[in-house]
Amino acid sequence: QVQLVESGGGSVQAGGSLSLSCAVSGDTYYIAWFRQAPGKEREGVAVINTGSTNTYYADSVKGRFTISQDPAKTMVYLQMSSLRPEDTAMYYCAARTTAYFGSWFDCLRQVNFKSWGQGTQVSVSS
């Protein structure tokens, strides 16, 4: 069973940077970051194939966020830069343990990920 623990959230001013970490135990196929703002649905932000290290980003964060993993595959990171107030949300790390044969866009949906961390809060002030 996969266990995930996020860390690294905090408060930052618009234009600033934050880095989130997700400690991963267990074998995975994909690790993704999702976020949920108050009153909004949870949305996928970025995903990495932990074998190939191929990545995919939601349009809202493309060019500003970077997902990566350490060589031991025990940590996945989300480096966030040029942060905006609309990036304010609870950020969750999630894992999928099997291959996905659809599009990256379709993969990055919470229904496709069965293991979840507890979340870490990111707040961006204007």
Side-chain angles (χ1 to χ4, degrees):
Q1 185 168 349
V2 177
Q3 293 187 324
L4 307 167
V5 179
E6 303 97 332
S7 60
S11 298
V12 66
Q13 289 191 326
S17 300
L18 275 177
S19 183
L20 306 182
S21 299
C22 175
V24 181
S25 63
D27 294 330
T28 64
Y29 218 102
Y30 299 92
I31 297 287
W33 286 95
F34 288 79
R35 66 186 181 186
Q36 188 167 20
K40 294 190 176 182
E41 292 187 359
R42 192 171 296 187
E43 65 168 340
V45 172
V47 57
I48 185 168
N49 180 310
T50 57
S52 68
T53 70
N54 289 339
T55 59
Y56 174 82
Y57 299 89
D59 286 345
S60 57
V61 305
K62 199 173 295 182
R64 300 188 299 123
F65 290 12
T66 301
I67 187 171
S68 62
Q69 69 176 8
D70 73 321
K73 302 181 183 179
T74 60
M75 297 294 294
V76 172
Y77 307 100
L78 186 69
Q79 179 64 40
M80 306 182 293
S81 60
S82 301
L83 283 162
R84 305 166 180 168
E86 54 264 40
D87 294 318
T88 295
M90 184 72 78
Y91 282 71
Y92 298 90
C93 179
R96 179 181 172 92
T97 59
T98 57
Y100 186 82
F101 299 101
S103 69
W104 279 107
F105 178 83
D106 286 334
C107 177
L108 195 53
R109 295 180 177 179
Q110 58 177 322
V111 68
N112 293 320
F113 291 81
K114 303 305 181 186
S115 300
W116 293 81
Q118 82 288 353
T120 186
Q121 178 68 38
V122 171
S123 298
V124 184
S125 59
S126 58

